[in-house]
Amino acid sequence: MARSLLPSYAKAIVGPLIPGGGDGLPDHHVEETEVEIDPDHLAAYDRVCGFGIRDTLPPTYPHILGFPLQMSLMTERAFPFALLGMVHIGNRIEQRAAIPLTARPTVRVRAENLRPHQRGQQLDMVTEVELDGELVWLEHSNYLKRGSGADESAPPNPLAERIEPGTLEPAAVWKVPGDVGRRYADVSGDRNPIHLHPLTARLFGFPSAIAHGMWTLARCLAAFEGRYPASHTSEVAFQAPLRIPGKARLADRRRDGAWDFSLERPDGERAHVVGTIDTA
C-alpha cells in the first residue's frame, strides 16, 4: 500500500498556524512506484462500498491508492490553501483498462487548474495510475476553497444543471448506517472528523455525521456493476451532504451509451450526488 497518512494529518492540523502558502499551485507531482495492492484491504473496501469480490480493482479503488499522495501535496507549505475546510465538490474518473489485483502500478498526483468558483476558488487534484508504461486510470478530483477569489459569473457544474433531482426513475432506497463513515475511514484513510461521529461533526458545524463523498460515488457505481464495461468514464457532482444514519434513494435513466444517476433524498426533493457513467 501507499505511504502512511499520519504525517499529512499532522501537517493538516498545524498547517493553518504556520505562515506559508503561495499564490499558485505546486508545479511538481508526487508519485509512488511499485504500489502493492493488499487483497485483504481490497476485500474490505469492496464490502464497505458494495462491490463484488473479483480479481480486478473496482473503478474507485485507485483513488484510495492516490489519496495519501493527494494529502502529501495538499499539506506542503507551498500549497496555497489549508487542507482543513477544503470541500470535494466533483469527481471524474476515466477507467481506460482493467487493473489486475496482482498489478504493481505507479501512482502519480499533481494539482492543476486553479480557477474561480461562485463561492471561492477551485482546483483539480489529478491522479494517474500507470501500468507497464501505459496510463490505465485517470482521475480529476475537484476541490473548493470557500472565500476570496469568488466570481459569481463562474459557470456551475453542468451535471448539476442537467440532472435535476426527482426527474430520474427511482431504482432503490438504501438505509445508510451511522457507522459507514467510520468503516469507510478504516479502508480509505480519510478520517475527516465530519464523517466519524455526530459529536466531532458538530465541532465543524454539522448537526450529524455525513457520509464521505467518495463512498457515495463508490456505492452508486457498485449498484451499476455488470452494466458498464472495464473501459468507461464516470463523473459526479457532490451537491448536498448525506447525513448518517439516514436513507437515500438511487434513481437512474439510460441514455445512448451512458447512464445518468442521482442519489437523493427519499422524497426526491434534493440530490446528494448526481452523475453519469459513459460507456461509449
Side-chain angles (χ1 to χ4, degrees), residues 30 37 45 50 59 128 131 134 145 152 155 160 169 177 181 188 212 215:
V30 291
I37 299 164
Y45 176 87
E128 299 176 343
L131 193 59
E134 178 186 359
K145 181 63 175 181
E152 292 185 359
E169 188 69 25
S188 69
H212 294 75
W215 177 83

Side-chain angles (χ1 to χ4, degrees), residues 124-204:
D124 295 327
M125 297 300 295
V126 181
T127 304
E128 299 176 343
V129 176
E130 190 176 276
L131 193 59
D132 299 325
E134 178 186 359
L135 182 63
V136 294
W137 190 91
L138 176 65
E139 175 190 51
H140 288 73
S141 296
N142 182 205
Y143 286 92
L144 166 68
K145 181 63 175 181
R146 294 189 180 97
S148 63
D151 182 354
E152 292 185 359
S153 66
N157 189 309
L159 280 177
E161 293 201 320
R162 184 165 61 80
I163 304 176
E164 298 183 7
T167 62
L168 307 188
E169 188 69 25
V173 175
W174 297 334
K175 282 187 175 182
V176 184
D179 67 348
V180 75
R182 294 186 292 277
R183 292 170 58 215
Y184 185 77
D186 287 343
V187 296
S188 69
D190 184 351
R191 299 186 181 279
N192 188 322
I194 63 176
H195 304 302
L196 303 182
H197 194 277
L199 293 178
T200 55
R202 288 179 195 133
L203 295 176
F204 292 86

Side-chain angles (χ1 to χ4, degrees), residues 16-32:
L17 306 176
I18 301 174
D23 295 327
L25 299 174
D27 60 359
H28 62 276
H29 67 262
V30 291
E31 73 174 31
E32 194 89 15

